[in-house]
Amino acid sequence: FFFGMHMHDARPTHKSVPYSKARHDEFLMKVDSSRGNIPSSRTWLWIAVLSLLMGTGLLTVGRSVPAADRGMLASEPLLMTKQPIIVVHHPPTGSRTMPFQSQGDRMQGLVASAGAPKSLGTLRHMPTADVPVQMPNTGSSGFLACALGLAVMVGAALSYQRQRLQQRPHGVMAMASVFDFKVPAFPSFPGAGKKEKLVRLGDSGLSIYPLGIGTWAWGNKLLWGYDTSADAELQEAFDAAVGSGVNFFDTGDSYGTGELEGQAERLLGQFRADYAQGDAATASRVCLATKLAVYPWRLTGASFEDACRASLQRMGRDQLEVAQAHWSASNYAPWQEPALWDGLCRCYEAGLCKAVGASNFGPRQLRKFANYCKARGVPLVLNQVQFSLLSTAPLESGLMDVCKELGITVVAYSPLALGALSGKYTLAEDGKTVVTTRDGVTLPDGPRSLLIKQVLPGAVDLIRTLERIAAQRRKTVPQVALNWCLCKGAVPIVGAKDASQVKENLGAVGWRLSAPEVEALDAAAAKAKRKATQNVFMTD
């Protein structure tokens, strides 16, 4: 690392070094993933100094023991101190000293403990004398403390280098390009990012990573500008996610516009099959959850079962992990709701899925559906709702509490408010004008651009709070926004157009916002003058 830093200082442009942009990006991602996970250099140095001082002190104390008694340090370490004593005199055996404690009844006990018979021993009190007192082994303790101090010094050096690498890592990347070695990940020190536990989906036996991937954009030309030429990048995104531990992918049979309807399911099935050729064990743990659209012509339970079979055929599978209702029909066609519930349960009973889920169900409707599923012995394991700092209705309606009560996992879709909280856009100093945060970024085309322009100017406090916490945490704005969802008990699902976006979003896991930070974000979100447009199918 030092060589890499010096190379950077000496050759800031690296004109004659075969530089690899791919390796550079990979290294920057690893540096970014370590941000905020390793204690600062100052913390390490304070711990090192204190440990070395303590070790030196203990070694000094150990050296103060008379030479004649140093051989006892291994078994009976001693420290010579000044204190009142009692001398027990017994002519046949000589004199022994004991620390003075009290007079009266306790005196005879001291005599007996000194080994002198009561009938022969006499007591003589002396003011002070050097008395050997039992204490911990100062020699061993001193050496251990010094070793700890040296180890912490190494940690301080690594932490300092990590901070320098975050500011200018190009030297190491140039060295990696020259010598063709793989840059290792940073070591994990005390206080490093914790490993995320999988989220259990009820009693279904399924467990998912606390961050999932949504595939709404896969096949959607109108809102997301999908093009089939990007399928290779989507597969790289899938591979990067699965390789990083992400195993939850959400899709729907209506995802894809026009002739591309169902494209997201087809791609997911293909990507999973391709991944299984190289790592069947990991691919088998991938959890695919598809949502069945409540189209007007699906009027019977059998029609929803047929829809599930069609989804399985597109994915090239015999069984799905979770079959979900894409929305509830209770708001516009309540007569269709019984067929929907029956159809999902039929999918489970026919072995087409391992569990069922809901989407856009409010607290009252979800409780009804949960009771129905329980009566039929079908595990209802998740409810997918619009949830973000700009869409807090699930908290205000009590839905989050109901889901916790029923053991249903909340899956948050649009956790970045369709890109408004992606960190790509911010507000100018006037707090009204939407501007991009870096060169090459423009506002998206279509409805999303309108949403961002309408929402952000009214959420200036929220944007500034996100940016402040992100800077303090050395995280990005979207990572903070996603972590807020995690802190609220939801599993956010994010888009994945390429591998770099997956790795960026993975920076949201492995740590948690503090309670004051969550409260600050809550307060800022409450001040937002305009929230994200709510899904019209969301029920009460």
Side-chain angles (χ1 to χ4, degrees), residues 165-184:
L165 289 173
Q166 288 175 350
Q167 297 175 357
R168 46 183 186 180
H170 306 82
V172 175
M173 283 311 303
M175 185 170 62
S177 297
V178 173
F179 297 104
D180 194 25
F181 67 81
K182 184 176 182 180
V183 178

Side-chain angles (χ1 to χ4, degrees), residues 41 114 228 239-240 286 294 305 355 377 407 440 457 464 466 502:
S41 300
T228 54
D239 293 346
V286 171
V294 190
E305 181 181 345
R464 298 292 185 249
L466 279 168
V502 171

Side-chain angles (χ1 to χ4, degrees), residues 16-237:
S16 62
V17 177
Y19 178 74
S20 168
K21 179 64 167 60
R23 290 179 184 171
H24 184 190
D25 293 341
E26 178 185 1
F27 181 75
L28 286 178
M29 188 59 62
K30 292 181 178 179
V31 170
D32 183 70
S33 66
S34 72
R35 291 182 178 177
N37 293 338
I38 303 177
S40 67
S41 300
R42 182 174 299 178
T43 303
W44 281 113
L45 287 173
W46 272 115
I47 296 174
V49 170
L50 291 175
S51 299
L52 288 172
L53 287 175
M54 181 174 65
T56 303
L58 290 173
L59 286 174
T60 302
V61 169
R63 296 282 295 179
S64 69
V65 178
D69 294 328
R70 287 178 191 161
M72 303 174 62
L73 283 175
S75 58
E76 296 184 10
L78 303 173
L79 173 65
M80 307 306 293
T81 63
K82 296 286 187 181
Q83 60 175 298
I85 64 166
I86 295 173
V87 177
V88 182
H89 181 68
H90 182 234
T93 61
S95 299
R96 299 185 62 185
T97 60
M98 293 291 292
F100 177 75
Q101 297 184 9
S102 65
Q103 300 181 13
D105 296 338
R106 300 179 67 182
M107 194 67 73
Q108 295 298 328
L110 286 170
V111 174
S113 65
K118 295 180 182 180
S119 59
L120 299 176
T122 60
L123 301 178
R124 182 169 73 249
H125 176 250
M126 297 177 63
T128 60
D130 287 334
V131 180
V133 179
Q134 292 281 346
M135 67 172 295
N137 191 321
T138 56
S140 300
S141 301
F143 281 117
L144 288 175
C146 286
L148 173 63
L150 292 174
V152 173
M153 289 289 286
V154 174
L158 287 173
S159 183
Y160 174 70
Q161 281 304 110
R162 186 262 304 178
Q163 292 174 359
R164 289 196 64 187
L165 289 173
Q166 288 175 350
Q167 297 175 357
R168 46 183 186 180
H170 306 82
V172 175
M173 283 311 303
M175 185 170 62
S177 297
V178 173
F179 297 104
D180 194 25
F181 67 81
K182 184 176 182 180
V183 178
F186 285 101
S188 177
F189 294 98
K194 62 183 179 181
K195 182 179 179 181
E196 290 284 357
K197 294 182 179 179
L198 296 181
V199 178
R200 294 184 57 186
L201 296 183
D203 297 326
S204 64
L206 299 171
S207 295
I208 62 173
Y209 196 72
L211 180 73
I213 301 296
T215 61
W216 182 14
W218 296 11
N220 191 308
K221 289 186 175 182
L222 176 64
L223 196 61
W224 299 99
Y226 166 80
D227 189 278
T228 54
S229 62
D231 287 353
E233 290 185 339
L234 294 180
Q235 182 157 18
E236 290 177 357

